[in-house]
Each structure stands twice: as structure tokens, then as C-alpha cells.
Amino acid sequence: MSGAEQKAWSREEFDTRLRAKGAYYHIHHPFHVAMNSGRCTPEQIRGWVANRFYYQTTIPIKDAAILANCEDRDARRLWVQRIIDHDGSNGEQGGIEAWLRLGEACGMAREELLDHRHLLPGVRFAVDAYLNFARRATWQEAACSSLTELFAPDIHQRRLDNWPTYYTWIEPSGYQYFRSRLSEARRDVEHGLRVTLDYFVTREQQEHALNILQFKLDILWSMLDAMTMAYVHQTPPYHNCDRPIYE
């Protein structure tokens, strides 16, 4: 039987299969495992913070693309909060500002993050692929891709639990982003999960949704692959090329 002819999974079974994708979440990547067990050097932590900042700044742009494709007013009213969470509003600085403060807490100047001077090409390609997907997909498909948030509270809690002990050189004031996302991610995923369970109802659609979620997991994993090459194996882009005569 083809996927289109097979019986659709129940809502509960579909939910279970979506959550099972957590086995591929980037918390299991060796780079993340090293970070959460105190085995990263300051250079590696700073490299991660700088490269992840490009992802952070892309999130509200991605969410704006979802809004642009969404005809459902009630859904837009809920989804717009994600942009506010990252960009800030009414005196609240938002997640992007919180990430800049994390960079400062790690000993980096704000300008190092803002001008993306440390951004690796592999990270840029991965993040841009995610943004392009959100622009071209239906808003429900893009909402489904956000379901990596199902697994995010655990990763933030581990950082809050472990980093202050392992990385005493990081100023504690820099951890506000992780604290904020504990509640924000849980709220966001409730909406994104409801959209996904309501919209993808045939077996073929459900399998498509699982592939979308895997695509987003691949994005996050690929970002860490690029950082591993640069900061663990000491093979950053063009490391074996002579410096050009003209820069």
C-alpha cells in the first residue's frame, strides 16, 4: 500500500511519532554533549554563541514569513507573539537582546555578533535554507517545522543546570535567554502542535509532516557539524588555502 492509501494514524499516534523525532534533536550532537558536560573551550563556546546568533536573528524573519502566508486571523494573533518575544516590545528587550548579552557575558563585544564576522558558511547555508523553506511553504508546513520546540525546554534547562558550574568564566547575567525560553517554548509548541495535528490528517500528510520536522532537525544538526569542523577539528573554511593577494 502507498502512504496515500494507508490508514491515517490516530491523533495520539501521530503526536507520539512527532515526539519520537526528539531522538534526532541536536542535544544529542557531540558538540552539544561536550558543551553540556563542561568539555568545551572558551573559543568553542564563543564560536557557538556567535554562530547561533545568526539563527536567533533569523527566527523573527522566519515567523514574519509564516504570518505573510497565513490567512487565518486567529492563528496570526497567536503567532505574532513569537516575533515580539525575539524583537522585544513595550520596554521588553526580547530574545535577540538577551542573546547579545549572552555574548557579552562570554567576553565578546556586541559588534562581533552584530556584524556576523564569525559566521561560518555552513551555518549561514543551513539557516538560510530554513528561512527559504518558511517563505515558500504553506504556513501550516512552516508551523510544523517549528516543532523542534517540543524538545527545546530540556536543552535550555540543561544549560541552566550545567553551565554555571562548568563555565565559571561566563557572567551569570548572560543566562536570561535560556530562562525566558523555558516558558516561551512550551507556550509556542502548544499552538504549533495543535496546528500540525489539525492540518495533517491523512497518512500521506502525516508522513509529510514527519519529513518536514526531520528537515528542521537536519538544519540544527548541520549547524553543529560546521562548528565542529571549525572549532573542534580546527579546520575552518579555507583553512588550507593561501591568503589572497587582494582582500
Side-chain angles (χ1 to χ4, degrees), residues 176-228:
Q176 183 55 44
Y177 178 87
F178 305 141
R179 294 190 188 95
S180 298
R181 289 305 297 167
L182 283 174
S183 58
E184 291 172 356
R186 290 188 179 99
R187 179 207 63 210
D188 290 346
V189 79
E190 181 181 340
H191 180 218
L193 185 59
R194 185 168 67 251
V195 169
T196 299
L197 294 175
D198 288 346
Y199 181 75
F200 298 91
V201 293
T202 69
R203 179 66 170 273
E204 183 177 30
Q205 290 171 334
Q206 291 168 337
E207 291 180 348
H208 179 51
L210 290 173
N211 289 333
I212 290 171
L213 183 52
Q214 185 62 57
F215 164 75
K216 174 62 180 307
L217 292 163
D218 292 346
I219 293 293
L220 297 173
W221 198 274
S222 295
M223 290 168 62
L224 291 177
D225 282 347
M227 290 183 235
T228 298

Side-chain angles (χ1 to χ4, degrees), residues 27-247:
I27 197 171
H28 303 297
H29 192 287
F31 194 99
H32 247 307
V33 172
M35 273 203 301
N36 287 328
S37 56
R39 292 186 281 115
C40 277
T41 66
E43 178 198 21
Q44 290 167 348
I45 295 290
R46 293 183 185 117
W48 177 77
V49 169
N51 277 274
R52 179 77 181 191
F53 183 67
Y54 186 65
Y55 178 80
Q56 301 304 132
T57 58
T58 300
I59 290 174
I61 303 173
K62 174 268 298 182
D63 288 324
I66 293 175
L67 286 176
N69 291 330
C70 180
E71 310 88 358
D72 186 325
R73 182 177 61 170
D74 291 334
R76 291 198 302 268
R77 285 171 170 167
L78 293 173
W79 207 272
V80 73
Q81 183 61 47
R82 297 168 183 249
I83 297 176
I84 295 170
D85 287 342
H86 280 82
D87 285 346
S89 178
N90 298 324
E92 295 292 332
Q93 293 298 314
I96 291 177
E97 175 62 26
W99 200 272
L100 287 167
R101 292 179 181 178
L102 172 62
E104 290 176 321
C106 291
M108 306 175 72
R110 294 168 70 92
E111 291 73 20
E112 291 183 68
L113 274 68
L114 289 167
D115 64 15
H116 301 302
R117 71 185 68 172
H118 303 297
L119 180 61
L120 299 169
V123 173
R124 182 190 294 276
F125 292 158
V127 175
D128 287 354
Y130 181 38
L131 176 58
N132 288 332
F133 170 80
R135 285 172 168 162
R136 297 170 182 171
T138 67
W139 76 269
Q140 295 96 336
E141 289 173 325
C144 175
S145 72
S146 76
L147 287 183
T148 48
E149 291 167 338
L150 279 166
F151 324 117
D154 183 31
I155 209 170
H156 295 314
Q157 189 63 60
R158 291 196 193 188
R159 292 167 187 157
L160 291 169
D161 291 342
N162 298 332
W163 283 31
T165 299
Y166 294 137
Y167 307 115
T168 56
W169 52 272
I170 299 178
E171 291 292 331
S173 59
Y175 296 131
Q176 183 55 44
Y177 178 87
F178 305 141
R179 294 190 188 95
S180 298
R181 289 305 297 167
L182 283 174
S183 58
E184 291 172 356
R186 290 188 179 99
R187 179 207 63 210
D188 290 346
V189 79
E190 181 181 340
H191 180 218
L193 185 59
R194 185 168 67 251
V195 169
T196 299
L197 294 175
D198 288 346
Y199 181 75
F200 298 91
V201 293
T202 69
R203 179 66 170 273
E204 183 177 30
Q205 290 171 334
Q206 291 168 337
E207 291 180 348
H208 179 51
L210 290 173
N211 289 333
I212 290 171
L213 183 52
Q214 185 62 57
F215 164 75
K216 174 62 180 307
L217 292 163
D218 292 346
I219 293 293
L220 297 173
W221 198 274
S222 295
M223 290 168 62
L224 291 177
D225 282 347
M227 290 183 235
T228 298
M229 293 296 293
Y231 305 123
V232 178
H233 301 309
Q234 299 299 312
T235 53
Y238 313 116
H239 70 282
N240 60 332
C241 297
D242 294 333
R243 290 181 61 86
I245 297 175
Y246 302 105
E247 294 184 341

